[in-house]
Amino acid sequence: MSSSEVRDLFVIGGGVNGCGIARDAAGRGLSVTLAEMNDLAQATSSSSTKLFHGGLRYLEFFEFRLVHEALAEREVLLKAMPHISWPMRFVLPFSGDMRFESETPTSRLLSRVMPWMKGRRPWWLIRLGLFMYDHLGGRRILPGTKTVDLEHGAEGTPLQDRFERAWEYSDCWVEDSRLVVLNARDAQAHGAEILVRNKVVRTARKDDHWEIETEDETGKRHEYRAKMLVNAAGPWVGEVLQDRIDLPSKDSVRLVRGSHIVTRRIFDHDKAYFFQGTDGRIIFAIPYETDFTLIGTTEAKQVDPDMEPECTVEEQDYLLNFANQYFKRQLTRDDVVWTYSGVRPLYDDGARSATAATREYVLKLEDEGGAPLLNVFGGKITTYRRLAEAALEKIASQLPGTGKPWTAGAPLPGGDFAVGGFQALVDQLLEDYVFLDDRWARRLVRAYGTEARDLLGDATTEADLGRRFGADLTEREVTWLMEHEFARSAADVVWRRSKLGLRMRPEQVTALDDWMAAHRSEILPAAAE
C-alpha cells in the first residue's frame, strides 16, 4: 500500500502480541501495517523462558481460567509449529522444605486451616495441582503426570541424594523469537506490511481515522493513515499511550525484569526440572541448544522500559544458589556462559508483589471521541494466539466486514508437517544433501521446518552455500534471513533468528555484521533507498 492510502489497521509493536494480531487481522481480509522500532522480538518476546505452558504455579493464585486457556492452547500451537515447538517432560522433585510465596490465596487458606505447616507445600497439594494440570486443558497429545523414582532413574543422577521422590509432567518448548518472526512472515504473506526499525513518533486522532508518523533508521519520516490503531508496544504500551497517542488512561503496566543464565550442560537426559525454593519461588533448569542448560527466572522491579534489562550479579548468584540446592555439582559463576534478561509488561492490577500480579491479558478499547484505539496490556507467550482472537473480536466491532477466526490449526511457515514428523524431515534432508551432518540438518529443520529445503535449494556441496561465517552459518542462510525474515544485523541473526552466538567468536560476529551491511543494498534494494 502507498502511505496515502487508509489502512484498516495500524499496529504499534513487533513482539508476539503485535505480530499475532497483525497475522490474524490480515488473514481476515483487513489491510494492516505493523511498525516495530527495533528488530522483531528484540525485547520481551525473545527473552522468555521459552515455554508453552499452562502455568502450574498460577493455580496457587486461583487463576483457573488463565491456566485452562493456556493448557488448551499448548496442543493447538504444537500442531501449528512442530519445528520450533516440541513436547518436553518436566521433573518436579519433592522436598519438605518447599514453601509457598506468602501472598498466594492458597498459602493464606492453608495458613488458616493448617497453621502447623508454616507455609510449607504438602506433597498431596502438589499432586492435586498436577492432577488439575493434566485435566483442565483437554490434553490429547501430551502424556500425563507420573511418579519418578529418583534413586534409580536417570532423572535422579544429577540431583542430591536427599531427593527420593518426584513427579513428571508435560509442557512444551518453543523458540520464542522465531515464533514472532514466523507470525510476521505469515502476516506479510496475507498482505500485511511489516516495518522493522520504524519508530512511531507521532499520532493524531481524527474523526474517522488516525494519522501516524514513523521514523526509520536513517532518520527519514513516513506518514500513514488507518481506520483503527492498536497499541501492542509491550513494555512501552504506557509510554506510547501517554507520549505518542496522548489520551488519558488510568490503565498501566507493572514492569518486571526476568533474568536467565545459561551454563554448560549439567545433565545428560532431555528432560527439564521444575525446582521449588524455600522462599516460595520456582525456577526451571532446561536442556538448551544441545550443549547447555538454561536456568531461570527471577522477578525484579524494572522502572524504565528504555533501560536495557540486564541479569545482575545478584540475580546470577540467586539462580546459582537456587540450583545448588538441588544439583550435586555445585555451580559457580565460572559455569555461566551467557545471560539474558527481559521485561514482562504485566497489567497493573494493584497486587502488592510482582509474583502476585495477574498474568491475564487485558484489552481496552477506546472508541469515543474519534477513530478507535485498542490498547493491549500484559499477556503470556502461550496465549498470544487467543489474545489475538480476543483483540480481533473488539476490532471487528469497529470494522464491519472483518472475517472469521482462522488461525487455530493453520500452520506457521515451515510447520506443515505432523507432530512427531521431525526426525523423518531430518533423515530426508541428510539423504538429499549429503554434505550436511546430523547436527547441522537438525538445526536447519528445527529453525525452518519444511522450508529448510527451500533455503538449501539446488546446493550439491557446502561450497554452493557460499561463505561460512562460523559454526554452520552460511552466506545462503544469511541471505534467506535478510530476504524472508527481516534480519538487518548480525545480532538479529545470531541471537534472535538463531542462538549461534553461543558458538561463534566475537570477531566472527563482527565479520558477519560487516558482510550484511555491505550486501544489504543488493539483497534488499528497497531498504537502501
Side-chain angles (χ1 to χ4, degrees), residues 236-452:
W236 292 271
V237 63
E239 181 181 300
V240 167
L241 184 57
Q242 293 173 12
D243 298 342
R244 284 166 243 170
I245 297 177
D246 194 24
L247 287 181
S249 174
K250 296 179 181 179
D251 297 301
S252 63
V253 293
R254 180 197 293 256
L255 301 180
V256 179
R257 185 176 69 253
S259 295
H260 301 74
I261 59 175
V262 175
T263 70
R264 297 176 182 86
R265 187 169 180 169
I266 301 171
F267 46 89
D268 292 331
H269 58 78
D270 61 357
K271 298 176 183 177
Y273 289 99
F274 179 115
F275 292 152
Q276 302 175 85
T278 56
D279 61 353
R281 285 195 42 75
I282 64 99
I283 65 169
F284 295 101
I286 306 172
Y288 188 60
E289 294 292 318
T290 308
D291 301 318
F292 306 96
T293 301
L294 172 65
I295 300 174
T297 180
T298 61
E299 287 188 338
K301 184 178 180 180
Q302 182 86 359
V303 177
D304 184 357
D306 293 317
M307 182 182 298
E308 186 73 22
E310 184 176 318
C311 182
T312 65
V313 170
E314 292 76 16
E315 287 176 301
Q316 292 182 50
D317 287 343
Y318 174 82
L319 292 171
L320 290 168
N321 292 335
F322 201 140
N324 284 339
Q325 296 174 37
Y326 282 84
F327 289 123
K328 288 176 183 174
R329 183 168 75 82
Q330 298 295 282
L331 304 170
T332 70
R333 287 187 205 160
D334 291 339
D335 293 298
V336 177
V337 298
W338 183 50
T339 68
Y340 69 88
S341 187
V343 178
R344 305 185 194 101
L346 306 180
Y347 182 70
D348 192 351
D349 59 355
R352 285 188 292 176
S353 72
T355 303
T358 183
R359 266 54 177 178
E360 293 267 16
Y361 54 80
V362 176
L363 307 175
K364 291 297 181 77
L365 178 65
E366 305 284 348
D367 58 354
E368 295 183 3
L373 163 71
L374 180 65
N375 292 304
V376 180
F377 299 94
K380 285 165 44 68
I381 194 168
T382 310
T383 53
Y384 88 91
R385 193 195 64 83
R386 292 293 297 270
L387 180 152
E389 285 190 333
L392 263 294
E393 287 183 18
K394 294 185 178 293
I395 290 167
S397 71
Q398 305 297 311
L399 300 179
T402 300
K404 301 296 184 182
W406 65 278
T407 57
L412 288 175
D416 51 337
F417 64 98
V419 175
F422 170 78
Q423 188 59 51
L425 284 181
V426 172
D427 292 343
Q428 191 61 54
L429 210 64
L430 287 168
E431 181 178 332
D432 295 343
Y433 297 92
V434 295
F435 56 87
L436 296 176
D437 59 27
D438 184 72
R439 186 171 185 141
W440 192 357
R442 293 179 71 84
R443 184 185 72 79
L444 290 176
V445 175
R446 276 292 177 222
Y448 307 106
T450 55
E451 290 190 327

Side-chain angles (χ1 to χ4, degrees), residues 126 163 202 427 461 475:
I126 297 171
F163 297 104
R202 183 189 65 85
D427 292 343
T461 68
E475 183 178 328

